[in-house]
Amino acid sequence: QVQLQESGPGLVKASQTLSLTCTVSGGSISSGSYYWSWIRQPAGKRLEWIGRIYISGTTDYSPSLKSRVTMSVDTSKNQFSLKLTSVTAADTAVYYCAREQLWFDSWGQGTLVTVSS
Amino acid sequence: EMVLTQSPVTLSLSPGERATLSCRASQSVSGGFLAWYQQKPGQGPRVLIYRASSRATGIPDRFSGSGSGTDFTLTISRLEPEDFGVYFCQQYGNSPLFSFGPGTTVEMK
């Protein structure tokens, strides 16, 4: 069974860049017709989809975040990554990575990222 | 923009009782691509139902999904102690590509 694990700084200063990596284990990131997504959840709010990437490097981003988001994939390391620029307090959230096939069938446990002023 | 709403906000039930959760979309969900998830504290969500009515691998048959268009339902036929938690719905296909409902908390009475 595939497992996903988010990693990265838990504290980011306002106006800087948030960078997270998701490591996939128990299966190859290159196998199957899956997309790999990032999703976040601010405290007390609903989940928000950030974007997704395919192993070819094709990406789709949420319109509300598109100008600040970049995703990449490293098949040799079985990882995919998220960069979110110019962060503000509104970007404070638990960030999840997930495997997607029009629904999200595997999720990481999530990592809290706090944006400080 | 597609918006999902869920009702009720909280459902207080006892083990053995039936739970009925609703998810309503502001636009028709294309292709019936509506999924349901369960989330426990400190864990990532777990998919229960996809494409409105298909049970995900390993999900007990007490969980069932139904609906189409803008109205969808998740039913738990007989609540087990491990079923208490937060449930939310998710759609694919409308802008944004994916969106989630705010969740229904199923708590023990």
Side-chain angles (χ1 to χ4, degrees), chain B residues 56-89:
Chain B
T57 303
I59 302 303
D61 60 8
R62 64 180 181 272
F63 291 92
S64 63
S66 62
S68 63
T70 60
D71 290 294
F72 298 87
T73 301
L74 174 70
T75 302
I76 311 171
S77 59
R78 288 178 57 86
L79 281 165
E80 297 287 340
E82 62 269 26
D83 296 338
F84 293 95
V86 180
Y87 292 81
F88 54 89
C89 52

Side-chain angles (χ1 to χ4, degrees), chain A residues 39 41 46-47 49 52 63 96 100 102-105 107-109, chain B residues 4 33 37 39 44-45 47 50 88 90 92 97-98 100-102:
Chain A
I39 298 158
Q41 187 171 33
R46 70 179 70 195
L47 291 154
W49 177 73
R52 67 178 184 176
Y96 296 96
E100 176 251 311
L102 306 187
W103 58 92
F104 303 96
D105 65 356
W107 295 65
Q109 64 180 25
Chain B
L4 299 178
F33 289 113
Y37 300 82
Q39 188 172 25
V47 64
Y50 63 92
F88 54 89
Q90 168 253 314
Y92 161 80
L97 200 55
F98 298 94
F100 295 87

Side-chain angles (χ1 to χ4, degrees), chain A residues 6 14-15 28 44 56 64 71 83 87-88 90 92 96 107-108 112:
Chain A
E6 306 87 354
S15 79
S28 171
S56 63
S64 66
M71 293 183 182
K83 291 190 186 298
V87 296
T88 69
T92 294
Y96 296 96
W107 295 65
L112 174 63

Side-chain angles (χ1 to χ4, degrees), chain B residues 33-57:
Chain B
F33 289 113
L34 192 288
W36 288 93
Y37 300 82
Q38 177 194 65
Q39 188 172 25
K40 300 285 187 73
Q43 299 179 17
R46 176 176 71 145
V47 64
L48 304 171
I49 302 289
Y50 63 92
R51 294 203 72 170
S53 60
S54 297
R55 255 189 311 277
T57 303

Side-chain angles (χ1 to χ4, degrees), chain A residues 8-84:
Chain A
L11 189 63
V12 181
K13 291 187 177 179
S15 79
Q16 295 191 343
T17 297
L18 178 160
S19 297
L20 294 174
T21 296
C22 182
T23 301
V24 179
S25 59
S28 171
I29 199 171
S30 301
S31 66
S33 300
Y34 299 110
Y35 278 83
W36 303 90
S37 276
W38 288 97
I39 298 158
R40 69 182 184 180
Q41 187 171 33
K45 296 188 177 182
R46 70 179 70 195
L47 291 154
E48 178 184 22
W49 177 73
I50 300 169
R52 67 178 184 176
I53 188 166
Y54 193 63
I55 53 167
S56 63
T58 300
T59 55
D60 294 296
Y61 299 140
S62 172
S64 66
L65 295 168
K66 188 173 184 177
S67 63
R68 299 194 292 130
V69 172
T70 303
M71 293 183 182
S72 59
V73 62
D74 187 335
T75 55
S76 67
K77 294 183 178 179
N78 234 28
Q79 294 177 333
F80 62 105
S81 299
L82 167 71
K83 291 190 186 298
L84 182 66

